[in-house]
Amino acid sequence: DTGVSQDPRHKITKRGQNVTFRCDPISEHNRLYWYRQTLGQGPEFLTYFQNEAQLEKSRLLSDRFSAERPKGSFSTLEIQRTEQGDSAMYLCASSFSHAGDQPQHFGDGTRLSIL
Amino acid sequence: GENVEQHPSTLSVQEGDSAVIKCTYSDSASNYFPWYKQELGKGPQLIIDIRSNVGEKKDQRIAVTLNKTAKHFSLHITETQPEDSAVYFCAASETSYDKVIFGPGTSLSVIP
């Protein structure tokens, strides 16, 4: 399978705990994106990377959230001191910004539930 | 910033009929308009996209139209099948590799 891979698929944790999600993009895709999707809504942009550089962060990305892509390949999204409102599906996507327009390909997400 | 609206929020059609979903966007800088299909428990899958220099694009049973002046774009699915049942999202972006702004989604049910 050469698609975008996300791990874990589901995460249940207590309020106040820290959680970390991982995304493995399609090989050779230089851009990697994180989105958040709550029930019944469309995905909302959080942040994106070109290679290892984080180029844009949404206002939704509070200081409890941090994303990294240290070697320009996989990425991690960490949420510290989780709150009830963090319960959502966290989606990762990747694309290639060269050689013409290339669409973003999404993974199947990590569903986070805060107890 | 960009805002994408989408109608209807739910749509039920008989198998074989057509389905139409309409969207509007607000930012004239948007030039790329993808449509995604999302099935339960899955991530969004791109089904078709259109760029601002094109007014219409078709791929088998799916067609999209774009009116850049009015900031409207639409998805048409003909000869619907039960497997078309899913949530469909329209979206807008400056380019295919910039952040994508999604509409709220349309839940399509195709009744056999």
Side-chain angles (χ1 to χ4, degrees):
Chain A
D1 186 7
T2 57
V4 177
S5 177
Q6 292 191 244
D7 183 71
R9 291 295 316 278
H10 303 276
K11 180 70 177 179
I12 301 172
T13 192
K14 293 181 179 179
R15 183 166 52 94
Q17 298 295 304
N18 299 343
V19 293
T20 300
F21 312 138
R22 176 181 170 121
C23 172
D24 287 272
I26 293 172
S27 179
E28 297 180 356
H29 275 189
N30 62 337
R31 287 208 174 186
L32 185 148
Y33 313 79
W34 286 99
Y35 292 83
R36 182 175 72 184
Q37 185 177 25
T38 53
L39 204 60
Q41 301 297 318
E44 295 174 293
F45 170 77
L46 292 178
T47 187
Y48 83 89
F49 294 82
Q50 177 157 308
N51 301 314
E52 63 275 10
Q54 189 171 17
L55 295 188
E56 187 172 349
K57 294 193 291 187
S58 161
R59 291 173 301 169
L60 293 175
L61 211 68
S62 76
D63 55 9
R64 296 185 298 105
F65 289 69
S66 63
E68 294 183 343
R69 194 183 184 198
K71 297 181 180 179
S73 56
F74 73 91
S75 175
T76 58
L77 177 67
E78 181 183 16
I79 309 174
Q80 296 182 327
R81 305 180 303 280
T82 52
E83 301 173 355
Q84 292 281 359
D86 296 333
S87 294
M89 174 81 86
Y90 290 84
L91 292 162
C92 177
S94 69
S95 74
F96 192 55
S97 64
H98 303 298
D101 286 338
Q102 295 289 326
Q104 295 179 26
H105 297 268
F106 282 81
D108 287 335
T110 293
R111 179 165 295 284
L112 174 65
S113 297
I114 308 297
L115 301 177
Chain B
E2 177 65 276
N3 181 52
V4 178
E5 296 185 350
Q6 183 172 352
H7 300 279
S9 57
T10 60
L11 180 59
S12 185
V13 299
Q14 291 288 333
E15 182 178 358
D17 287 350
S18 295
V20 179
I21 301 170
K22 298 184 178 183
C23 292
T24 61
Y25 64 99
S26 61
D27 191 348
S28 56
S30 291
N31 288 302
Y32 175 70
F33 305 91
W35 286 85
Y36 285 88
K37 175 184 180 182
Q38 188 173 30
E39 297 175 334
L40 203 61
K42 300 284 189 179
Q45 280 192 306
L46 181 78
I47 55 171
I48 196 167
D49 56 14
I50 190 167
R51 290 162 178 80
S52 60
N53 58 347
V54 175
E56 186 173 353
K57 182 177 179 180
K58 189 173 182 180
D59 183 5
Q60 298 182 6
R61 297 185 296 110
I62 296 174
V64 291
T65 59
L66 171 65
N67 182 330
K68 196 159 169 62
T69 303
K71 297 192 180 70
H72 292 173
F73 57 119
S74 301
L75 176 73
H76 303 248
I77 306 174
T78 59
E79 301 171 14
T80 53
Q81 301 167 3
E83 51 265 40
D84 294 330
S85 296
V87 179
Y88 290 80
F89 293 98
C90 61
S93 177
E94 288 193 27
T95 70
S96 63
Y97 46 86
D98 282 310
K99 65 184 179 187
V100 174
I101 307 301
F102 285 80
T106 296
S107 178
L108 173 65
S109 297
V110 180
I111 303 166

